[in-house]
Amino acid sequence: MKVGSRMDWGTVREQLEGILGINVEAVKWPLTDWEQAWGASEEPSVSLVKHGRVYWLVQKQETEALLLAADEPLVSEVERRLVDLVLAAKKEPESKLVRMPSEEERKAGLVRDWLHQQQERGFTHAEMPDQLVSLLSLYSTKVPILLYGDYTTSRRVQYAELKKLLDSFFDAEITLIPLTEKEWLILGSEKILSMDGMDDRDEETLEDKLAAMGYGLHEMLENEWVGEAHLAVHYPMTPAKSLYSVVLQLRETIMLGRTYHVGSSMHLPWELQLEKLVHLVPESEKASFLERVLKRLDVAFDPETMTTLEQFFQLDCNVSETAKKLYIHRNTLLYRLDKFKQETGLDVRTFNNAVLVKIAMLLYKVTKRK
């Protein structure tokens, strides 16, 4: 199938040189090379950046791709996208290669590009320019959610299909910003915390409402989406002031959750405070701590003991509740805790020892995987 067969290669090159004021070269690639490079790019479009050059697809023939190329440093991001839009508009309507983004997706892409620029500069905090804030009406308070889709590289999730899925779930205004191929930022109005009458349950804290919303969203994505999805939820904030720093915090939350709680897919920052602190400890100090606190690690932390202790800590060191949760007799649980005390000299029924063992468990999970 030919793409853009009505466009003249040489004429387009001359027009592009006139618009950009730079040298533009007409080149040919084997069609398979173009499709492979295009399919592997983070954001497939009319153009492709590779090895310091920008390539625009003009025509796709039977075995060749006819391209125009220019040095990347000479072409600004705005100019590249403008040429993308012009070339895409000239292509045949039946073309399936080029998918024209909606106006909403185009605006979201500009916000994404700004976030990338701040990251490349090494910033930890930056306020958005007013013109970007206005594009997506980001002055009001939003609930930020970071979604990482752990799907295969052969499965490309399109903006429109994910936006439609999220709109149907929340039944409220949301903004979707694609950060990378697998990473999506969702900004919902505070109305999303009123789902299922959550506002009527006054005894629930803000953290409870955020967690309930997050778990509900994760369950829907797990059932309706392709591949595993990780979610991180943050407190409501004003994007105009703190969107960039919140994105960094959400990424850190997912990283900590995946590092210290393997198998968990819902990550809440207020539940990872200890993990955040432990993660900052130098590797040599982590190993030294484990060596001092637990002499026989593999014996002390066998699978049964790990499961028992995790449930014991999760239930605030309550013996009766832990026994019920594990479906064992109370005396059986006490026997396991006494056995652990004999092997390590640490009684987790005391506060100080419980804290030491909790930290040791976090460190052991990471060091054992390494």
Side-chain angles (χ1 to χ4, degrees), residues 1-3 9 27-35 57-67:
M1 179 184 69
K2 294 184 178 180
V3 176
W9 193 21
V27 298
K28 293 181 181 181
W29 279 14
L31 185 58
T32 54
D33 288 356
W34 167 261
E35 291 181 338
L57 174 66
V58 176
Q59 187 174 332
K60 181 180 175 184
Q61 298 184 329
E62 296 297 330
T63 60
E64 292 180 320
L66 307 185
L67 311 171

Side-chain angles (χ1 to χ4, degrees), residues 25-123:
E25 181 184 359
V27 298
K28 293 181 181 181
W29 279 14
L31 185 58
T32 54
D33 288 356
W34 167 261
E35 291 181 338
Q36 182 178 4
W38 181 86
S41 64
E42 286 193 357
E43 185 193 357
S45 60
V46 178
S47 63
L48 174 70
V49 178
K50 190 176 180 67
H51 300 317
R53 307 203 79 194
V54 181
Y55 295 90
W56 287 278
L57 174 66
V58 176
Q59 187 174 332
K60 181 180 175 184
Q61 298 184 329
E62 296 297 330
T63 60
E64 292 180 320
L66 307 185
L67 311 171
L68 296 177
D71 292 337
E72 183 188 3
L74 302 180
V75 183
S76 70
E77 182 67 17
V78 173
E79 289 173 332
R80 181 171 76 88
R81 290 182 176 275
L82 180 60
V83 175
D84 282 359
L85 292 173
V86 172
L87 291 177
K90 290 185 177 183
K91 292 183 180 298
E92 294 179 352
E94 64 270 18
S95 169
K96 295 184 179 179
L97 176 63
V98 178
R99 178 185 61 83
M100 288 295 292
S102 65
E103 182 67 9
E104 182 180 25
E105 183 178 355
R106 185 190 67 80
K107 292 177 180 178
L110 295 176
V111 175
R112 175 206 53 222
D113 293 343
W114 177 81
L115 291 170
H116 284 179
Q117 290 170 7
Q118 311 318 303
Q119 184 176 5
E120 290 174 356
R121 293 169 182 168
F123 293 164

Side-chain angles (χ1 to χ4, degrees), residues 209-226:
K209 294 178 181 180
L210 289 168
M213 179 274 297
Y215 280 110
L217 174 59
H218 184 270
E219 182 180 2
M220 182 276 291
L221 291 171
E222 194 174 54
N223 293 330
E224 302 291 338
W225 219 20
V226 177

Side-chain angles (χ1 to χ4, degrees), residues 169 191-201 212-213 216:
F169 174 78
K191 291 181 180 179
I192 67 176
L193 297 181
S194 304
M195 296 170 57
D196 300 326
M198 282 190 287
D199 272 351
D200 298 332
R201 292 176 274 178
M213 179 274 297

Side-chain angles (χ1 to χ4, degrees), residues 125-186:
H125 178 80
E127 290 191 15
M128 293 181 64
D130 288 340
Q131 60 268 31
L132 281 183
V133 178
S134 301
L135 280 178
L136 294 175
S137 301
L138 298 179
Y139 290 105
S140 60
T141 301
K142 302 290 184 182
V143 178
I145 307 163
L146 185 63
L147 164 61
Y148 179 83
D150 203 8
Y151 41 80
T152 62
T153 54
S154 60
R155 164 79 163 112
R156 285 189 178 277
V157 175
Q158 299 296 335
Y159 182 95
E161 67 173 303
L162 179 56
K163 182 66 163 57
K164 182 179 179 180
L165 188 62
L166 294 171
D167 284 339
S168 65
F169 174 78
F170 286 114
D171 193 24
E173 178 189 355
I174 69 156
T175 299
L176 179 64
I177 301 174
L179 299 179
T180 66
E181 181 184 343
K182 297 185 177 184
E183 195 178 37
W184 305 81
L185 178 64
I186 304 164

